[in-house]
């Protein structure tokens, strides 16, 4: 008996089924090659060869001579089959032991663990030596009933509906309250410029300017120190802070709990500090019964939340689109297959309906007209037309006769076919496509990884800078009060210079934070 070894070769540059046929046809002619199986989507060839005659590197060279890139895959070893079963009828630990020991003695079973509490069995096997149906038969022979753990075929983990809803709500809330705040702000700016233009303001004393300011409707004080403008901004800001920013707060809290700083931390920091600072300043002004209304930052949180939640919402909508396409792809997979047993001269002896997951390599599967192909395979008997548009995009049906390959998920049209399964389970073309799209969705674009890495440094850096700003201005203020006085217009003479300095320093450092935060929009 000559020994047969098996190797996997990674093949690049294959574009369609004819490339696959070309490789398979040419390699079969070579000495020492027993069989070859090429999977187009996975880009790999499984070759069984006689090690006395040929070795894997030579096989890869043969493929390269045909014009494809080929490298021998190390440690790909056996792609172990994994089987999850529900086992009914176990009563005690000895049943568990009985099943485990019997399975471990079975040829081809590599690992097996049975859990009495959940009635589940987890089995690893070598698909070359044994298949899922054989494993189930072994357990049945011991007197237990088994069934497959039902896989969730609906691709619900790819569903972004909930996130889309949540960010949309976040955006709408922020937007509704942001518009009036923006309106107030623009109105203030316009009025300000009109006032300053109307009176060549160089020769105005600050008292006159204050008098003019307070004549504006929005600057009218409801209570001493509390203007209409600030009061309205405050009221509009609260719902945004609570409802619009809810998810940001949760995310930021989680990030800080794990001692990392992400985008959400920055957003939360800037908005919370702007909000709290403005609130404190208002309360101080009211306590002092100040004549001049303090400068607040209530406009920052709504605007930031609007931009960022809009971005998140759009991102999830885009992800949802891809996922929808994926879910449709997954739904194309057949759920059952008809396996037949053939006698001499291809006479049908028996047929049974089984779950697609139970089809083993080498099984003969019967596909009736109008049926879906459950697995990739080769036609053994029958002629038919097959609609492969889901994979190839080709609208016209393709003729299939013995020796042709068929693709899982494509639809058989007019004739009944018998096919021999070549790729089953996760190896079918359709599963590979689904896997590729899933991987593309879960992996990050390089630029995104870079941005994440940057924001890891960006957040602490910005916080540090604003603290430095705070301290610097406090020091400058106490050393030379004139500078602060020059930049901090309209403070009332009644408050102490120390308070003015601290207030100004805070204002400067908050400004740094609030300005750096939309800069994270640039990052985003």
């Amino acid at each position: 008996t000559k020994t047969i070894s098996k190797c996997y070769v990674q093949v690049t540059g294959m574009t369609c089924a004819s490339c696959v046929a070309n490789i398979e046809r040419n390699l079969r002619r070579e000495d020492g090659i027993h069989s070859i199986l090429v999977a187009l989507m996975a880009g790999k060839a499984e070759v069984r060869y006689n090690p006395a005659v040929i070795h894997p590197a030579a096989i890869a060279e043969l493929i390269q001579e045909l014009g494809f890139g080929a490298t021998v895959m190390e440690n790909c070893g056996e792609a172990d089959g994994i089987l999850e079963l529900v086992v009914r009828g176990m009563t005690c630990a000895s049943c568990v032991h009985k099943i485990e020991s019997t399975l471990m003695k079975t040829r081809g079973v590599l690992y097996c663990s049975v859990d009495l509490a959940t009635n589940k069995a987890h089995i690893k096997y070598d698909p070359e030596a044994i298949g899922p149906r054989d494993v189930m038969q072994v357990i049945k022979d011991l007197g237990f009933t088994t069934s497959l753990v039902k896989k969730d075929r609906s691709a619900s983990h790819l569903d972004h509906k909930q996130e889309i809803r949540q960010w949309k709500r976040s955006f709408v809330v922020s937007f509704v309250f942001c518009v009036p705040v923006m309106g107030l702000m623009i109105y203030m700016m316009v009025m300000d410029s009109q006032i300053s233009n109307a009176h060549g303001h160089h020769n105005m004393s600050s008292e006159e300017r204050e008098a003019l300011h307070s004549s504006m409707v929005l600057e009218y004080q409801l209570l001493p120190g509390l203007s209409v403008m600030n009061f309205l901004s405050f009221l509009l800001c609260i719902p945004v802070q609570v409802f619009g920013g809810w998810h940001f707060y949760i995310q930021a809290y989680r990030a800080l709990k794990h001692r990392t700083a992400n985008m959400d931390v920055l957003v939360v920091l800037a908005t919370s500090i702007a909000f709290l600072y403005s609130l404190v300043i208002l309360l101080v002004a009211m306590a002092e019964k100040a004549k001049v209304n303090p400068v607040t930052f209530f406009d920052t949180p709504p605007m930031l939340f609007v931009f960022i939640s809009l971005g998140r919402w759009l991102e999830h909508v885009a992800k949802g689109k891809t996922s929808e396409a994926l879910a449709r792809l997954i739904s194309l997979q057949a759920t059952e297959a008809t396996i037949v047993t053939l006698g001499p001269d291809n006479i049908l002896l028996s047929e049974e309906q089984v779950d697609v997951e139970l089809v083993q390599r080498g099984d003969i599967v019967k596909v009736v007209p109008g049926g879906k192909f459950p697995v990739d395979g080769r036609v053994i008997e029958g002629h038919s037309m097959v609609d492969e548009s889901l994979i190839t995009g080709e609208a016209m049906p393709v003729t299939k006769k013995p020796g042709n390959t068929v693709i899982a998920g494509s639809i058989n049209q007019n004739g009944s076919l018998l096919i021999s399964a070549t790729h089953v389970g996760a190896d079918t073309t359709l599963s590979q496509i689904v896997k590729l799209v899933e991987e593309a969705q879960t992996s990050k674009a390089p630029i995104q990884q870079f941005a994440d890495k940057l924001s890891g440094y960006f957040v602490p850096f910005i916080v540090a800078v604003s603290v430095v700003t705070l301290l610097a201005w406090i020091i400058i203020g106490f050393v030379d009060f004139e500078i602060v006085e020059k930049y901090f217009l309209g403070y009332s003479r009644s408050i102490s210079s120390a308070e003015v300095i601290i207030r100004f320093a805070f204002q400067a450092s908050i400004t740094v934070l609030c300005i750096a935060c939309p800069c994270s929009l640039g990052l985003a």
Side-chain angles (χ1 to χ4, degrees):
T1 58
K2 55 177 184 174
T3 54
I4 296 288
S5 298
K6 187 162 121 187
C7 70
Y8 289 91
V9 183
Q10 183 84 46
V11 184
T12 53
M14 297 189 291
T15 51
C16 61
S18 68
C19 300
V20 172
N22 181 13
I23 295 176
E24 290 186 352
R25 193 176 60 245
N26 281 295
L27 281 195
R28 276 207 194 94
R29 296 187 191 136
E30 300 291 334
D31 284 342
I33 290 185
H34 199 259
S35 71
I36 172 165
L37 196 58
V38 181
L40 176 65
M41 289 305 297
K44 73 177 184 193
E46 179 186 304
V47 187
R48 308 177 81 168
Y49 62 97
N50 180 354
V53 181
I54 194 166
H55 54 94
I59 297 173
E61 262 172 42
L62 288 171
I63 298 178
Q64 279 166 357
E65 279 164 20
L66 294 172
F68 303 98
T71 47
V72 179
M73 291 165 78
E74 303 294 339
N75 68 28
C76 179
E78 294 301 327
D80 292 337
I82 292 178
L83 187 60
E84 296 267 350
L85 296 176
V86 177
V87 183
R88 300 258 172 240
M90 297 189 291
T91 51
C92 61
S94 68
C95 302
V96 172
H97 178 69
K98 193 161 92 183
I99 295 174
E100 285 184 357
S101 57
T102 313
L103 276 177
M104 288 306 285
K105 283 181 205 144
T106 312
R107 189 176 150 266
V109 175
L110 307 170
Y111 163 82
C112 153
S113 96
V114 182
D115 184 10
L116 180 63
T118 57
N119 284 341
K120 291 230 176 102
H122 184 86
I123 299 141
K124 265 192 187 156
Y125 61 94
D126 170 7
E128 292 295 308
I130 193 170
R133 287 207 310 285
D134 310 333
V135 174
M136 288 172 79
Q137 195 53 52
V138 170
I139 300 177
K140 279 201 185 94
D141 292 344
L142 291 172
F144 303 98
T145 54
T146 63
S147 60
L148 272 179
V149 172
K150 277 279 168 255
K151 281 221 186 84
D152 178 20
R153 284 211 183 84
S154 64
S156 57
H157 60 289
L158 300 171
D159 192 13
H160 290 270
K161 286 198 183 67
Q162 196 213 338
E163 283 105 330
I164 292 175
R165 262 206 316 276
Q166 122 186 351
W167 288 113
K168 184 179 178 181
R169 199 168 54 225
S170 201
F171 169 69
V172 170
V173 169
S174 309
F175 187 73
V176 165
F177 291 103
C178 170
V179 172
V181 171
M182 294 273 302
L184 290 175
M185 226 176 76
I186 292 168
Y187 176 74
M188 287 291 291
M189 284 176 179
V190 171
M191 293 310 283
D192 261 3
S193 60
Q194 277 183 359
I195 288 172
S196 44
N197 291 343
H199 308 259
H201 51 217
H202 300 295
N203 48 18
M204 269 173 80
S205 70
S206 59
E207 282 79 17
E208 280 178 286
R209 198 176 302 151
E210 269 171 41
L212 258 172
H213 259 270
S214 52
S215 66
M216 282 167 61
V217 184
L218 285 177
E219 289 289 337
Y220 173 73
Q221 296 197 336
L222 296 168
L223 296 165
L226 179 66
S227 66
V228 178
M229 164 87 180
N230 281 339
F231 183 61
L232 282 178
S233 303
F234 170 68
L235 285 186
L236 291 169
C237 197
I238 288 178
V240 177
Q241 205 66 15
V242 176
F243 300 113
W246 183 246
H247 304 297
F248 290 103
Y249 278 99
I250 294 174
Q251 299 294 55
Y253 170 67
R254 284 182 190 151
L256 287 173
K257 212 163 73 177
H258 293 296
R259 298 211 172 88
T260 56
N262 58 5
M263 282 279 310
D264 299 315
V265 175
L266 250 197
V267 176
V268 164
L269 249 182
T271 50
S272 313
I273 293 181
F275 181 74
L276 291 173
Y277 166 81
S278 307
L279 184 60
V280 169
I281 274 215
L282 266 191
L283 295 174
V284 169
M286 283 164 70
E288 286 176 355
K289 300 195 169 13
K291 296 276 183 298
V292 177
N293 297 311
V295 177
T296 55
F297 293 107
F298 285 126
D299 51 342
T300 308
M303 285 169 65
L304 264 182
F305 282 140
V306 163
F307 282 126
I308 294 178
S309 52
L310 173 66
R312 298 270 165 102
W313 176 33
L314 293 177
E315 180 188 353
H316 283 292
V317 168
K319 275 188 184 163
K321 287 273 190 295
T322 329
S323 307
E324 242 168 64
L326 241 195
R328 285 208 198 101
L329 252 187
I330 293 176
S331 69
L332 291 171
Q333 291 172 328
T335 50
E336 293 203 315
T338 310
I339 292 182
V340 298
T341 321
L342 294 182
D345 302 333
N346 286 1
I347 303 161
L348 283 189
L349 296 182
S350 67
E351 54 178 73
E352 58 166 333
Q353 284 275 352
V354 298
D355 254 3
V356 159
E357 279 95 12
L358 292 180
V359 178
Q360 294 163 200
R361 197 187 258 185
D363 279 342
I364 309 297
V365 180
K366 176 177 155 197
V367 185
V368 295
K372 274 183 187 170
F373 289 95
V375 290
D376 291 5
R378 228 178 234 107
V379 180
I380 301 177
E381 194 178 279
H383 284 72
S384 180
M385 304 292 282
V386 174
D387 174 12
E388 291 185 344
S389 56
L390 90 146
I391 303 286
T392 59
E394 186 175 1
M396 297 299 287
V398 186
T399 319
K400 295 291 180 193
K401 53 185 193 294
N404 290 147
T405 52
V406 289
I407 305 172
S410 49
I411 297 162
N412 186 13
Q413 296 199 328
N414 48 14
S416 187
L417 292 176
L418 288 182
I419 65 166
S420 157
T422 53
H423 295 96
V424 295
D427 294 332
T428 61
T429 310
L430 199 55
S431 305
Q432 289 288 338
I433 293 179
V434 170
K435 189 170 137 229
L436 282 172
V437 179
E438 274 182 350
E439 276 172 10
Q441 274 212 316
T442 49
S443 62
K444 286 183 178 173
I447 186 75
Q448 198 178 346
Q449 281 172 343
F450 179 65
D452 282 358
K453 198 163 123 193
L454 261 187
S455 65
Y457 301 121
F458 186 67
V459 178
F461 173 71
I462 294 303
V463 175
V465 169
S466 62
V467 170
V468 169
T469 311
L470 177 73
L471 297 174
W473 275 110
I474 290 177
I475 294 164
I476 291 171
F478 282 115
V479 173
D480 185 357
F481 184 63
E482 251 99 71
I483 299 181
V484 175
E485 210 169 14
K486 193 168 92 196
Y487 288 111
F488 193 27
L489 301 166
Y491 73 92
S492 61
R493 299 279 185 282
S494 59
I495 52 181
S496 70
S497 62
E499 197 174 329
V500 174
I501 293 166
I502 287 171
R503 224 191 251 191
F504 181 67
F506 254 102
Q507 213 164 309
S509 71
I510 296 282
T511 311
V512 170
L513 260 188
C514 292
I515 286 171
C517 190
C519 175
S520 57
L521 277 176
L523 267 182

